[in-house]
Structures are given as structure tokens and as C-alpha cells.
Amino acid sequence: GMLLGLHYTPGIHTAYYSVIHLTREVYYGSMYRLYHTTLVSLVFLVLQVHTYRGVLHGSYVYVSSVLAIGVLLYLYLQVVAFIGYILPWGLMSYWGATVITNLVYGIPSMVPWVYGGFYIHNPTLHRYCILHSMVPIYILVLLGIHLVYIHSLGTSSSTSIGSNSRIYFHTWVTSKDTVVLVVWLLAGSIQVYQGLILIAHPDNTLEVSILLTPIHILPEWYFLEYYTILKSIPSSTSGFLVMISLVVGITEYGEPYSTSTQGKGLLGYTGRYGSIVLFTTLVVVLVWIGVQLPQGRYLSYGRVYIMSTLSYPSTSIYTP
């Protein structure tokens, strides 16, 4: 990210072309950018695996407050990822920013703070560029608190003063996370050096145009479940409140602060949290399927292809 920032120029007339210059003219510039974007997606993938493992093993039973710190870390990471997706100033970046930042219209006097004006323009990109560099500092601070707190209260390491001695941290967790890290870097290297960029949307390689709207506006894959909520609820303000309630309600309230976690549940350690994880996994799979573009039924008739869709009352005819 620091190497990218040396060549990036924020601004509606310079951001896109600075990224193109970085990719084509700077030595190893494309590697900088692809590693930055690819490993961010893998960070969210590993983060979800980490969260699911903690829930299914009941790791929060002895140190329940660590879950709240982890949720706050997750929210900060989402903010950084969203801002970073806007900075290349591609077509999907602009329209994604338009959709998401429209949520603040329900908060009085918030639009000038977020936009730097009353619409997305130069001040917006300058603000997002600064925030994209500053917020990771708070993430590092929270991450340090997260690690120190879990080590001091809930592990079997030398600093442990708690009662959670079911597993040995430096025997099991450290070795597993090392393997995950190696696989993570290997997967990122394969995507970067072999050109297997499977997670980037092609519309974001186009320059911003306020007159050209993508066929299907969608965020990165780790925002799909939240984007589904916003699309399902007609009112943007209500959708935003439901989305925040989902994040805070599921992760902050209930089982970690009750005595139900001490008993055996659905998956050995947890009760309704294990059910929530399994349900969330199913929702993520369904959302991944639902984000695909609608397909029409193609009927071949001689040398003319007839495509019938449910979106239009008439039948469209295409000739090759």
C-alpha cells in the first residue's frame, strides 16, 4: 500500500490515469497493485475462517469480551476495504460509492462531511485517500489489544491467568495459522503471477462515466451479504439500520454474555451460535449465486437466435 501511494494521485481527473501509469510504466507496479487487491480478499477469507473456528469451538466462552473487539476490528477492515475500492476510480468504484454513500442522506449534516460537498467530486477522493492511510493505524492498535487480551485471559501460554487450558496455543493455533499463512501467500502469488484474477470485476477497469451505469452494480464478494440487505429493503435508511442491526445484534448480544454457553450445544460447544454460523454459510452461498446476472432462455431457430426473457414482454431476436 505504501508503494502504491507513492505513485497514486487522488482526483477525478488523475486517479484513474495514475493507476494505469502504475500498472504499465512503473517497474513491478502491476505486482504491487495485484498483491494489494488479491491479498485483501484473502484477508477477509481467512478472517471468516478464523471467526467460524472461534464460534464453533466456543473460544469466546472464557473471554467473551474479545468477541466485541473482534467485531470492531471487522467493521474497521470493512471501512478500509470499501474506501480502497473507490480509490482506483473505475466505473464500478464510482457507482459503488454512489450507492453506499447515499446511506448517509438520512443523517443530518453528514453529507458534507463524507463528500466534501454535496456530490462525489475531488474533495471526496482526497478525503478517502487520507482515511485509507490513517484507519489501518487504528486497526493495528485494536489488533494489539485483541491479541494481548486473549493471551492474558484465555490461552495456555506463559502469560495465561485464565482457566481456558483445553488447547495449547503455541502447539495448535500457531502451527495452524502458519500453515494458513503459507497457503494464503501461495494462493495470492499464483493469482498475481499467473494472471488468475478471479475476484475483480471487469467493469472496474473502465474509466468513470456518470452517463454509463453498469448492468449490475455489486461490491466485492465480502460485502455481498450486506449488499443483499440493502437491495431487499426499499428504504435506504431502513436498510442501513437493518444491516447495522445484523452485524451488532448477531455478534454482540446474547450467547457470549449468558450462561447457556457452558452446556453442550449443537456442535459440542455452542448452541444457537453454531446454528447461526451454519445458516450464515448457507446465506453466503445463496448470495453468491444470486449476484450473478439473470440469464435468458435461448431458443435456436435456423440461423436466428431468439432470446426470451422474463424482464421484457416482447421477444428479442438477435442475428449472428
Side-chain angles (χ1 to χ4, degrees):
M2 294 176 64
L3 292 173
L4 287 175
L6 296 177
H7 300 277
Y8 179 77
T9 307
I12 61 172
H13 300 296
T14 56
Y16 178 80
Y17 294 103
S18 65
V19 173
I20 296 298
H21 172 78
L22 171 76
T23 306
R24 297 182 178 180
E25 303 296 336
V26 177
Y27 283 111
Y28 299 106
S30 60
M31 186 187 73
Y32 300 156
R33 187 191 177 196
L34 293 177
Y35 259 122
H36 192 69
T37 57
T38 302
L39 295 184
V40 163
S41 291
L42 292 176
V43 162
F44 276 94
L45 179 62
V46 175
L47 181 64
Q48 291 191 0
V49 173
H50 170 74
T51 306
Y52 285 8
R53 182 182 66 180
V55 169
L56 293 177
H57 284 266
S59 302
Y60 56 85
V61 172
Y62 295 95
V63 198
S64 58
S65 298
V66 175
L67 184 63
I69 303 175
V71 171
L72 192 59
L73 263 172
Y74 183 59
L75 293 177
Y76 270 120
L77 282 170
Q78 286 185 318
V79 170
V80 173
F82 168 70
I83 294 174
Y85 191 62
I86 298 173
L87 292 182
W89 205 235
L91 188 63
M92 193 65 71
S93 297
Y94 173 77
W95 288 103
T98 302
V99 171
I100 300 302
T101 53
N102 278 341
L103 299 174
V104 302
Y105 276 99
I107 306 176
S109 304
M110 184 59 67
V111 173
W113 282 91
V114 175
Y115 284 177
F118 294 96
Y119 58 95
I120 299 177
H121 203 58
N122 273 321
T124 311
L125 277 178
H126 283 277
R127 288 168 184 244
Y128 287 175
C129 184
I130 294 174
L131 288 175
H132 192 63
S133 303
M134 290 179 58
V135 176
I137 299 175
Y138 301 102
I139 291 177
L140 288 177
V141 172
L142 282 176
L143 184 60
I145 297 174
H146 191 66
L147 292 175
V148 170
Y149 198 79
I150 190 69
H151 274 283
S152 62
L153 295 178
T155 67
S156 58
S157 61
S158 59
T159 59
S160 175
I161 59 175
S163 58
N164 184 6
S165 57
R166 290 185 288 121
I167 61 173
Y168 291 95
F169 186 85
H170 294 298
T171 306
W172 295 95
V173 179
T174 307
S175 59
K176 287 182 179 180
D177 287 352
T178 303
V179 173
V180 169
L181 181 64
V182 171
V183 174
W184 171 47
L185 293 174
L186 180 61
S189 301
I190 291 175
Q191 289 202 71
V192 170
Y193 285 102
Q194 300 298 324
L196 300 175
I197 310 301
L198 305 177
I199 52 179
H201 200 282
D203 284 351
N204 212 35
T205 59
L206 303 175
E207 189 179 1
V208 169
S209 173
I210 61 175
L211 302 177
L212 177 62
T213 307
I215 298 176
H216 198 33
I217 300 176
L218 73 158
E220 291 290 325
W221 65 269
Y222 37 82
F223 292 136
L224 290 180
E225 49 186 319
Y226 308 109
Y227 188 63
T228 302
I229 297 174
L230 297 178
K231 291 184 67 177
S232 303
I233 300 177
S235 174
S236 59
T237 304
S238 300
F240 178 72
L241 294 176
V242 171
M243 182 181 66
I244 296 299
S245 301
L246 173 70
V247 177
V248 177
I250 289 183
T251 55
E252 294 285 351
Y253 174 76
E255 190 169 2
Y257 301 100
S258 66
T259 58
S260 63
T261 55
Q262 304 297 330
K264 294 291 183 179
L266 176 65
L267 298 170
Y269 297 109
T270 60
R272 59 177 178 268
Y273 254 48
S275 304
I276 289 175
V277 167
L278 295 178
F279 177 73
T280 306
T281 306
L282 177 63
V283 169
V284 168
V285 173
L286 294 178
V287 166
W288 186 266
I289 297 174
V291 81
Q292 306 300 320
L293 291 174
Q295 301 293 326
R297 293 177 296 174
Y298 291 88
L299 307 176
S300 177
Y301 183 77
R303 293 181 59 85
V304 178
Y305 292 97
I306 304 176
M307 184 184 72
S308 60
T309 65
L310 300 178
S311 301
Y312 301 97
S314 60
T315 301
S316 303
I317 301 178
Y318 297 91
T319 57

